[in-house]
Amino acid sequence: MSIANNNIVARVAAVVAGLGLVASTFAFAPAASAQSSTEAQIQALMAQIAALQAQAGGSASVTFTRDLTLGSTGADVTALQNWLIKNGASIPAGATGYFGAQTQAALAKWQASVGITPAAGYFGPITRAKVNAAGGSTGGSTGGSTGGNTGGDLEGGAGSVDSYELMGSLNSEEVGEDEEDVEVAGLEIEADEGSDLEFTAVRLVFDEGTAGSDFEDYASEVSVWFDGEEVARVDGDEFNDDNDWTATISLDGAVLEAGETGELTVAVSGQENLDSDDLSDTWTVDFRQVRFMDADGATISEDPSTGTRTFSFVSFASAADVELKFAEDDDDINDARTVEVDATDDTNDVEVLSFTVEAEGDSDITIDSLVVSVTSTEATGNDPDDLISAIHLVVDGEEVASETLSTSDTDNGEEKVVFDDLAWTVDAGETVEVMITADFYSIADTLDAGDSVSFAITEAETDSSDFDAEDESGEDLSDAEVTGSASSGAFELRAAGIMVSFVSASEEVTANDNAADNDVGTFRIVFNVTAFGSDVYLSRAAAATTATTIAATTDTAGHLYLVEDSGTATTDDLTDIVTEMGDATEASSNNYLLQEDEETEITITVVQTNDTAEDDGIYRVLLKAIAWATSDTTTWNVYDFDLEDFKTDPVNLN
């Protein structure tokens, strides 16, 4: 305060003392004679006080000579704060002499009101000239510990902090590249019962752990939060080697009620592109000093003495736990089966691969290109493009891309089809349903009846250089961050044939007189058959096989089944019978006739007779192939797709 202001204050005090003397005289004066003269004296003294107060508030001024910004301190900061308050600005902490977030916000608001751009809250040459021209008054509240600020809306009287404690939930946190506001440390603060407390500043110290670069090379911003609300934000370069990574940050709006506990947390935002050498480097953060004000207006600064917390900087994907997961979905679509194609016309939009895609973790994932393998067992040429003209990518029921198969290269049975330029984003935590559909040629084209084809997205496809997926920071996903697979069985392509579905399997044991070595096992497998494309013939014969897989595409034995005796295939002591119940008719001694689009139920019954000790064992029956044809013949096509469920339970025969 200037000498002139000191003199004015002294004069105000003298007048107030005189006013007290007059009041005292008035108390003992005769009522009638003294009242009028005393009232006149009081009025005169009050007018003098008002004049002196006006002089104290407005006569002194200062000329600003330097730039001021966040972190600046000094008498000129106090003068600027007083000038802003006098001109209607709100600085809750008062004129503290420290240029913090409240002063910055107040200055920015004033700049905007007078047309200074940008209104950034920086007290530079343009703003300084404008304020100096207006006469920078130093009058107003000084705030802080001087008692100029009475605590505003805080309730209570004198107050203090009962305890500070580091939050256990924040420890060894990871800050990812371009990841915003990652909480790295926090204080639990308990106020005593005496007063609400307003926390006005916190002094933070960042120390290198394993870091080999400056703090601003890691962190773009540091923010402070109180009970989940942001109360301050500064650039990372506020902590630099000139101040030993130490800065005092002004807080705005951090009020803790008397007797309550609040959380003051520090959050760090990672730089957009961390140097690879800086990944996994560590820093520590220390709450070195906390400043607060109670309802009496007293300001207290103290060291919480709580120790430090360590945190590290990592890649965005590591921090977000990014993982792109593929998984098979609908078995009815993916399992091996017969696909009906047309004799003369193309067959489009056949569902051939069903799977899900999940973006696990805290990042959206954008898939720019997806690779699907198409494998053919075509009889001649062995090229998928002889069977299929195009495949389509359908996401949540909507087609997002389509690709034609190449006809110019030699595929050798496999073609990698690339859906590119997708810009397909899977939101963090979301799982989407995806389908691959295919357009098949007709039998009259290059497709031959009995050709087969399968589809897959495996590690071979996601490891391909044509596959491209990235997290929301723009970083490509690594091989380890793409997991899972989806594959279909082999689909047999026919214009005419059969569709098969499982009905039931059963087994029973008949023991003769409870004697040894004479049990009879009866096994039944029941399934439905539907004809498509034309009338078909189903064999009325069956035979046991010892082959675990059926290699031939035709056979002359009829339906094939395998009997296991304690895990070993056997053909000993077996009898069988094939029966039909449905739309089929007996075409000959060899076959049933099933007309196009009609359905029948076939039962294969196998009997195992145990007549010697060597036959004792655990028995079951598995269906291996269904014999059918488009003519009344004894040379049949083999249907052997997806028959894993066509089997009985094991039983003990002795």
Side-chain angles (χ1 to χ4, degrees), residues 334-418:
N334 294 337
D335 286 345
R337 55 192 165 91
T338 298
V339 170
E340 181 180 0
V341 296
D342 196 82
T344 57
D345 296 324
D346 291 351
T347 303
N348 296 330
D349 298 321
V350 178
E351 296 177 341
V352 293
L353 183 60
S354 170
F355 59 100
T356 59
V357 176
E358 179 184 2
E360 191 172 86
D362 300 324
S363 171
D364 298 345
I365 296 176
T366 299
I367 302 174
D368 288 321
S369 61
L370 181 69
V371 183
V372 179
S373 173
V374 184
T375 303
S376 166
T377 57
E378 185 205 359
T380 59
N382 211 27
D383 292 336
D385 57 81
D386 289 338
L387 313 180
I388 299 169
S389 59
I391 63 173
H392 313 275
L393 179 64
V394 180
V395 178
D396 283 340
E398 294 187 7
E399 182 176 312
V400 298
S402 178
E403 292 292 336
T404 58
L405 272 68
S406 172
T407 59
S408 61
D409 59 351
T410 301
D411 300 312
N412 296 320
E414 182 181 29
E415 181 172 341
K416 303 286 189 182
V417 180
V418 180

Side-chain angles (χ1 to χ4, degrees), residues 108-438:
K109 186 174 182 180
W110 180 83
Q111 289 171 325
S113 71
V114 298
I116 295 176
T117 57
Y122 172 70
F123 191 73
I126 296 175
T127 304
R128 188 167 66 247
K130 194 93 171 179
V131 171
N132 285 334
S137 172
T138 62
S141 170
T142 59
S145 59
T146 65
N149 191 323
T150 62
D153 296 330
L154 302 180
E155 296 183 359
S160 63
V161 172
D162 271 351
S163 66
Y164 298 95
E165 185 176 347
L166 281 175
M167 293 170 56
S169 59
L170 295 176
N171 194 13
S172 301
E173 303 300 317
E174 293 182 335
V175 181
E177 292 176 290
D178 204 28
E179 192 175 13
E180 297 181 354
D181 299 331
V182 180
E183 292 184 334
V184 297
L187 285 180
E188 289 183 353
I189 306 174
E190 183 179 359
D192 71 4
E193 299 288 348
S195 172
D196 297 345
L197 304 177
E198 180 178 3
F199 292 87
T200 58
V202 60
R203 188 169 185 80
L204 300 176
V205 179
F206 289 97
D207 281 327
E208 304 106 315
T210 61
S213 301
D214 291 342
F215 186 72
E216 61 264 32
D217 294 334
Y218 298 85
S220 60
E221 290 181 323
V222 175
S223 55
V224 183
W225 303 70
F226 189 77
D227 285 344
E229 297 293 330
E230 181 180 330
V231 293
R233 182 177 296 272
V234 298
D235 289 339
D237 59 11
E238 289 291 320
F239 300 87
N240 52 63
D241 53 2
D242 291 333
N243 58 30
D244 293 327
W245 326 118
T246 303
T248 299
I249 302 175
S250 294
L251 311 180
D252 185 9
V255 176
L256 179 60
E257 294 182 357
E260 298 296 323
T261 299
E263 294 180 348
L264 184 71
T265 58
V266 174
V268 174
S269 298
Q271 287 288 6
E272 183 175 358
N273 291 302
L274 282 175
D275 190 294
S276 58
D277 292 337
D278 294 337
L279 293 176
S280 301
D281 281 356
T282 61
W283 287 79
T284 63
V285 58
D286 182 13
F287 294 89
R288 187 62 57 84
Q289 192 174 61
V290 174
R291 184 166 70 223
F292 61 88
M293 179 175 61
D294 63 16
D296 280 347
T299 297
I300 300 171
S301 295
E302 57 190 12
D303 186 346
S305 301
T306 52
T308 63
R309 284 293 194 221
T310 299
F311 62 97
S312 60
F313 289 87
V314 298
S315 69
F316 180 90
S318 296
D321 294 325
V322 173
E323 184 178 358
L324 183 65
K325 300 176 68 173
F326 291 86
E328 294 175 10
D329 192 17
D330 191 338
D331 289 341
D332 289 340
I333 293 170
N334 294 337
D335 286 345
R337 55 192 165 91
T338 298
V339 170
E340 181 180 0
V341 296
D342 196 82
T344 57
D345 296 324
D346 291 351
T347 303
N348 296 330
D349 298 321
V350 178
E351 296 177 341
V352 293
L353 183 60
S354 170
F355 59 100
T356 59
V357 176
E358 179 184 2
E360 191 172 86
D362 300 324
S363 171
D364 298 345
I365 296 176
T366 299
I367 302 174
D368 288 321
S369 61
L370 181 69
V371 183
V372 179
S373 173
V374 184
T375 303
S376 166
T377 57
E378 185 205 359
T380 59
N382 211 27
D383 292 336
D385 57 81
D386 289 338
L387 313 180
I388 299 169
S389 59
I391 63 173
H392 313 275
L393 179 64
V394 180
V395 178
D396 283 340
E398 294 187 7
E399 182 176 312
V400 298
S402 178
E403 292 292 336
T404 58
L405 272 68
S406 172
T407 59
S408 61
D409 59 351
T410 301
D411 300 312
N412 296 320
E414 182 181 29
E415 181 172 341
K416 303 286 189 182
V417 180
V418 180
F419 295 103
D420 55 9
D421 299 324
L422 293 176
W424 163 30
T425 298
V426 184
D427 294 338
E430 181 182 7
T431 299
V432 296
E433 296 180 347
V434 188
M435 187 79 69
I436 301 296
T437 65

Side-chain angles (χ1 to χ4, degrees), residues 67-89:
D67 295 344
L68 302 174
T69 187
L70 281 173
S72 298
T73 58
D76 50 356
V77 175
T78 303
L80 175 61
Q81 290 168 328
N82 282 329
W83 188 87
L84 288 168
I85 292 170
K86 179 187 175 186
N87 285 273

Side-chain angles (χ1 to χ4, degrees), residues 17-49:
L19 183 59
L21 179 61
V22 170
S24 174
T25 302
F26 177 74
F28 295 98
S33 62
Q35 182 172 358
S36 58
S37 61
T38 304
E39 287 179 349
Q41 287 179 297
I42 291 173
Q43 291 174 359
L45 289 170
M46 292 296 292
Q48 188 177 359
I49 289 173

